[in-house]
Amino acid sequence: RLNKVREAVAYVQKDEKLVAGMYRAVKHDDVTAAVRKPFIEQGIIIVPKVLASTMTDSTAKTGKGFTIWRYEARFEISFVNMDDPADRVVVELDAHAMDEGDKAPGKAVSYATKYAMLKLLNIETGEDEESRVTSGKPGVPEIPADDPIRKKIEEIASFPALQAYWKTLTTEQRKAYAQIKDAAKAAIAKADEEASK
């Protein structure tokens, strides 16, 4: 049954717009839309299950000062034959998400389900995941390390300088780099705190 779905869906086009240097990615809804009909035709349902999870303070803040929370979880994504529920393929994977409200768990399960579908079904997306560089800092989106705006924000060492540079960016750029700015603010605050000890 899963192989029939693989035959029906070979590629999902990236649909997320490239904004201010951010990478494009295939959205959860794009993948779901591509596989929904073949899954229904083959009688396969997807059952996500949280095996373990944690919610922690990322130390980053939004522009309005709200805490950005990091939700991490280990998921079990089951692809189940609806005519014989014992006939299933189970994929286990980790996922995390950031949010200042209550949406992080939902984002994480969507991410886990999307990647379980992509990898199990060998669906091509055109994404070059291996070439993306992350900073390893919580709250920082996957923008290339050599991106000039990212580099500039990360080099700024004071709140006034960060605020002045932020004002030079367009609305689209501010949206794209908001989490990087929040992480930079947290780093500046931490450095100031260490210096005052």
Side-chain angles (χ1 to χ4, degrees), residues 13-197:
Q13 176 67 44
K14 289 184 289 188
D15 191 40
E16 196 73 17
K17 291 181 180 178
L18 181 63
V19 178
M22 289 186 69
Y23 68 89
R24 298 189 337 173
V26 172
K27 295 180 288 187
H28 170 271
D29 288 355
D30 295 333
V31 179
T32 299
V35 301
R36 185 174 188 276
K37 185 178 178 184
F39 272 149
I40 291 172
E41 290 172 349
Q42 297 304 320
I44 299 170
I45 58 173
I46 300 174
V47 182
K49 178 181 178 181
V50 178
L51 300 178
S53 67
T54 59
M55 180 83 82
T56 56
D57 184 340
S58 73
T59 74
K61 304 285 184 186
T62 66
K64 295 183 179 180
F66 296 111
T67 297
I68 297 176
W69 296 95
R70 178 184 174 92
Y71 176 81
E72 299 179 16
R74 179 77 175 171
F75 292 95
E76 179 182 276
I77 311 296
S78 298
F79 296 81
V80 182
N81 175 350
M82 63 182 291
D83 298 323
D84 178 12
D87 179 21
R88 61 178 62 205
V89 173
V90 179
V91 177
E92 281 193 28
L93 70 166
D94 297 310
H96 71 268
M98 312 283 284
D99 194 73
E100 69 274 16
D102 59 358
K103 296 180 179 64
K107 291 178 181 179
V109 72
S110 292
Y111 183 93
T113 304
K114 175 183 81 170
Y115 274 96
M117 290 187 290
L118 289 174
K119 301 310 179 188
L120 180 67
L121 300 172
N122 305 120
I123 297 174
E124 294 181 30
T125 64
E127 289 186 38
D128 189 7
E129 297 168 343
E130 290 81 7
S131 70
R132 287 193 226 135
V133 178
T134 59
S135 70
K137 298 175 185 174
V140 179
E142 294 172 334
I143 291 176
D146 60 351
D147 178 88
I149 297 176
R150 171 180 168 171
K151 285 174 69 175
K152 176 67 176 175
I153 292 172
E154 292 179 340
E155 289 169 0
I156 294 172
S158 72
F159 289 119
L162 181 61
Q163 186 176 20
Y165 180 67
W166 193 250
K167 287 179 180 177
T168 69
L169 302 180
T170 66
T171 302
E172 276 194 348
Q173 288 172 328
R174 290 179 189 178
K175 181 178 179 183
Y177 292 89
Q179 289 185 326
I180 284 183
K181 183 194 86 165
D182 293 337
K185 284 172 63 178
I188 292 169
K190 186 174 181 180
D192 287 350
E193 183 181 337
E194 291 292 329
S196 66
K197 288 182 179 178

